[in-house]
Amino acid sequence: MIDVEETYIENRVLVHPNDTNNYDMAHGGNVMKWMDEVGAMSAMRFAGETCVTARMESVNFHRPIPRGDAALIESYVYEAGQTSVKVRLRVFREDPLTGDTELTTESYFVYVAVDEDGDPTEVPELETNTEYGRELVETALEGEKESNGHDE
């Protein structure tokens, strides 16, 4: 069994001119690529296997990330099936001088663990042994319902 907190990863990418669109903001495709890479790292840390992207739930862009700011990508596993891993992803714009952050993008990705032949392989059980881990899972499940239009 693997604890939720062991899958938590943060990564930063400085937004350079080559990463931007014609409005001098991070191109949405680059933001999604960064999310996919960090999400895969959380999934692989959890599964102990190579993981491939199976699905991106709705990707919600709330605000842009200007050139010169950092994209702070936050990722963790919040649910696991037999071979699949659900990962919550949030991106923040971060001012490199002050460290101030603001949420820009969020989504839920599903990865599948695969063996050397590319066939799906089983993943361990996910556990939550701390209050913080339980909060991460609860927040992800609530957000997933809202983003999929199943607000109950």
Side-chain angles (χ1 to χ4, degrees):
M1 290 172 101
I2 305 293
D3 193 273
V4 169
E5 289 184 58
E6 293 178 44
T7 72
Y8 184 90
I9 294 177
E10 280 187 3
N11 194 29
R12 286 170 178 79
V13 177
L14 189 61
V15 178
H16 292 282
N18 287 344
D19 300 320
T20 64
N21 58 25
N22 57 335
Y23 296 107
D24 222 15
M25 302 292 176
H27 190 283
N30 286 332
V31 174
M32 290 172 60
K33 176 183 181 247
W34 300 330
M35 292 171 77
D36 191 29
E37 290 171 346
V38 177
M41 286 189 269
S42 284
M44 288 187 282
R45 183 176 287 179
F46 167 73
E49 301 283 350
T50 298
C51 290
V52 296
T53 310
R55 182 173 65 239
M56 295 173 152
E57 299 294 338
S58 57
V59 178
N60 297 308
F61 293 95
H62 303 294
R63 59 190 43 86
I65 306 171
R67 178 181 51 83
D69 275 8
L72 167 61
I73 303 102
E74 172 189 83
S75 171
Y76 62 89
V77 173
Y78 67 95
E79 194 173 311
Q82 187 172 343
T83 62
S84 64
V85 180
K86 288 186 172 185
V87 176
R88 180 173 195 216
L89 286 139
R90 296 190 311 161
V91 181
F92 300 83
R93 65 179 279 196
E94 182 179 65
D95 184 316
L97 302 177
T98 65
D100 291 341
T101 62
E102 184 178 28
L103 180 66
T104 65
T105 315
E106 53 189 333
S107 186
Y108 300 85
F109 286 28
V110 178
Y111 297 88
V112 173
V114 295
D115 62 19
E116 300 82 25
D117 297 323
D119 295 322
T121 188
E122 288 191 24
V123 299
E125 288 185 39
L126 183 65
E127 59 181 32
T128 53
N129 293 319
T130 64
E131 184 62 32
Y132 179 63
R134 285 186 284 279
E135 287 174 17
L136 288 173
V137 170
E138 183 179 308
T139 301
L141 291 171
E142 288 174 7
E144 182 183 39
K145 283 182 190 174
E146 290 174 14
S147 76
N148 290 330
H150 296 95
D151 193 16
E152 297 172 359

